[in-house]
Amino acid sequence: LGFTPLCDGDIENSSRKYHSQIGVLSRNARGPFIRASLGHSGGFLCFGPYISLPAGRYSVSFLLRFLERSDDALNDSPSVVFDIVGDGGLVTYYKKIMTFASVDSTSLVNIEIEVISGASMVEARIQVPMRNEIWEMSLPIFEKVTPQEKKVH
């Protein structure tokens, strides 16, 4: 089971690393992204960054785009499995199967998770189950959600 480390120079902390079994890190005008190409046999497009999070609410966001597939996969809807796990996969904070209707479909994924008592080894994972599909995505961004201040009238 091989993987490619995807730690980009723009990621502030070197311990925040993204990896891929089926993709490579590239860069466009919007920043770094991971792209899988035809010829893979399915696997993780992205996993990482293996960070520790104190208790609180966090948003996780990224762009995901379905670009192309080979002719032998045309009868199935293109889909990926997206989850956020911690503690070596023992705790699941979020899990969803995302299905795309057509080629060149793009989705902005922005979800919130709650960490009750702190977590270690937190990672976002995007798994492409079908072989020979081309996907690309921006690197997931974890951000602490600050509570809105109550307005006094």
Side-chain angles (χ1 to χ4, degrees):
L1 206 50
F3 66 91
T4 304
L6 299 172
C7 187
D8 183 25
D10 291 341
I11 297 175
E12 294 173 16
N13 186 338
S14 63
S15 67
R16 295 181 181 188
K17 294 182 180 179
Y18 286 96
H19 306 279
S20 182
Q21 290 177 319
I22 62 172
V24 294
L25 183 67
S26 299
R27 179 174 291 282
N28 63 18
R30 288 183 231 155
F33 68 94
I34 303 167
R35 183 179 190 143
S37 57
L38 290 176
H40 69 80
S41 58
F44 287 98
L45 178 60
C46 179
F47 58 102
Y50 302 108
I51 55 176
S52 294
L53 297 175
R57 290 196 64 77
Y58 296 87
S59 70
V60 181
S61 58
F62 59 91
L63 283 172
L64 180 64
R65 186 173 174 203
F66 173 63
L67 296 169
E68 185 181 335
R69 69 182 349 167
S70 67
D71 291 340
D72 63 342
L74 291 177
N75 293 330
D76 300 314
S77 296
S79 64
V80 297
V81 178
F82 167 51
D83 65 4
I84 299 172
V85 297
D87 300 323
L90 297 175
V91 178
T92 300
Y93 295 100
Y94 182 86
K95 184 171 186 173
K96 181 178 181 178
I97 296 173
M98 301 174 64
T99 302
F100 286 68
S102 63
V103 170
D104 206 20
S105 297
T106 302
S107 179
L108 171 59
V109 178
N110 189 6
I111 61 103
E112 285 190 12
I113 62 170
E114 181 150 9
V115 175
I116 302 298
S117 61
S120 64
M121 301 290 290
V122 176
E123 63 176 319
R125 305 185 300 190
I126 295 80
Q127 183 177 14
V128 177
M130 293 295 297
R131 62 187 177 88
N132 291 329
E133 292 181 344
I134 299 179
W135 294 84
E136 72 179 23
M137 64 176 292
S138 62
L139 298 180
I141 298 170
F142 285 77
E143 294 181 302
K144 178 106 172 157
V145 175
T146 56
Q148 298 288 333
E149 290 184 13
K150 294 182 180 180
K151 294 182 180 180
V152 179
H153 295 282

